[in-house]
Amino acid sequence: MENRPTILVTNDDGIDAPGLRALVRALVSTQRYNVQVCAPDSEKSAVSHCITWRHPLTVKQVNIDGATAFAASGTPADCTSLGISKALFPSIADLVVSGINMGSNCGYHIIYSGTVAGAREAFFNDLPSVSISYDWVGGKSSVDDYTLAAEACLPIISAILAEIRNQAYPQKCFLNIDLPTDVANNKGYRLTKQGKSIFRMGWKQVTSEMQGGKMLSTMTMEANSEASAETETSATLPDNLLFKREVKGAHVDEEVDTDYRYVQEGYITVTPLAALSRADSDSHAFFQNWLPSVAEHASTSSL
């Protein structure tokens, strides 16, 4: 046990999510890793890199076979931060893996993603990390696909740990992996870059919490939206208005070597990411000329 590398697992769908459980089972089944889990105690999809600042987290140990696991009241970024702090576990993991998410995380959706944030938080703390998402499609996907997705990622995880052991793994990035809907017949790994794909979102006014169906973490509407198991009762005060998000359509960028395009074509996409939000060179060049003119105009206007 002492010589095994340690992997910390987190996610944004919650500690009971089938994607996380499939990933942990796959890691444990290899008998090659010490597996730690620190994950949200409830769904925290699309919280991005939100962190808890003003109050302490509530943490409870959870029984997951073969792993040491805790559910925390915080966000994915909180869970990673706590998990690698040595406050919860006696040792710091060699690798952080966030996922497996229900729904792909490509293009601009990487910014919204709590799954990606779980990996990014480790990157902020100089630890190698990977976020993993499965392109779940209602009516086509099943819970068994998470197991296939986890198994498909095991060679990547093993190879990363080998590079870490050899002190050859790059420290200036983390990896984002997306697996196609038909993961059983995937076309193999494909190195891609983050694209600009996005689901355009809008808002509509509703009269109850359940009107219009439930938005899933895949940014699609629940197929069976008639009140689910929830009631239509709402604590909304009479003077308050209710608005719900709705999907207006999808925009796919025109570049061909991007994450969304290749995962739709059936590849397992592997996308190196970092955390800087620099604009493109054309934008920078524009403001390089523009800003001095603003300063010059400000100085003449003050005369």
Side-chain angles (χ1 to χ4, degrees), residues 161-174:
L161 286 164
E163 299 294 346
I164 293 170
R165 187 168 54 250
N166 294 331
Q167 298 183 329
Y169 193 73
Q171 296 182 330
K172 295 182 179 180
C173 70
F174 65 100

Side-chain angles (χ1 to χ4, degrees), residues 80-238:
T80 295
S81 179
L82 177 61
I84 63 176
S85 68
K86 295 185 79 171
L88 186 63
F89 299 107
S91 62
I92 299 174
D94 299 287
L95 176 67
V96 174
V97 182
S98 184
I100 298 171
N101 187 64
M102 179 185 182
S104 63
N105 277 306
C106 299
Y108 285 139
H109 288 292
I110 284 171
I111 307 300
Y112 293 123
S113 170
T115 302
V116 176
R120 190 189 298 114
E121 181 67 20
F123 168 73
F124 285 161
N125 288 274
D126 301 318
L127 280 178
S129 58
V130 181
S131 49
I132 304 175
S133 302
Y134 165 65
D135 189 24
W136 177 281
V137 174
K140 294 183 180 179
S141 301
S142 74
V143 173
D144 293 336
D145 290 321
Y146 288 119
T147 299
L148 298 177
E151 291 170 350
C153 291
L154 288 179
I156 294 179
I157 291 170
S158 177
I160 290 172
L161 286 164
E163 299 294 346
I164 293 170
R165 187 168 54 250
N166 294 331
Q167 298 183 329
Y169 193 73
Q171 296 182 330
K172 295 182 179 180
C173 70
F174 65 100
L175 294 183
N176 183 46
I177 299 174
D178 283 280
L179 297 108
T181 306
D182 188 8
V183 63
N185 297 301
N186 74 82
K187 297 179 180 179
Y189 303 137
R190 188 84 185 206
L191 186 68
T192 62
K193 64 181 182 181
Q194 181 184 1
K196 300 176 182 177
S197 60
I198 191 170
F199 283 99
R200 299 294 185 191
M201 307 294 288
W203 293 87
K204 64 179 178 181
Q205 188 171 356
V206 296
T207 57
S208 72
E209 294 281 351
M210 290 307 300
Q211 183 184 342
K214 179 183 178 183
M215 179 72 77
L216 300 176
S217 60
T218 54
M219 293 197 175
T220 57
M221 301 305 296
E222 187 177 45
N224 181 19
S225 61
E226 57 269 3
S228 299
E230 303 172 53
T231 65
E232 292 236 14
T233 59
S234 172
T236 307
L237 297 174

Side-chain angles (χ1 to χ4, degrees), residues 58-94:
T58 301
V59 178
K60 179 181 179 181
Q61 188 156 12
V62 176
N63 182 28
I64 300 180
D65 288 344
T68 305
F70 294 90
S73 59
T75 66
D78 287 332
C79 291
T80 295
S81 179
L82 177 61
I84 63 176
S85 68
K86 295 185 79 171
L88 186 63
F89 299 107
S91 62
I92 299 174
D94 299 287

Side-chain angles (χ1 to χ4, degrees), residues 30-45:
T30 67
Q31 298 184 340
R32 297 173 61 184
Y33 312 118
N34 296 320
V35 182
Q36 303 170 340
V37 180
C38 184
D41 58 11
S42 60
E43 185 176 338
K44 295 291 191 299
S45 295

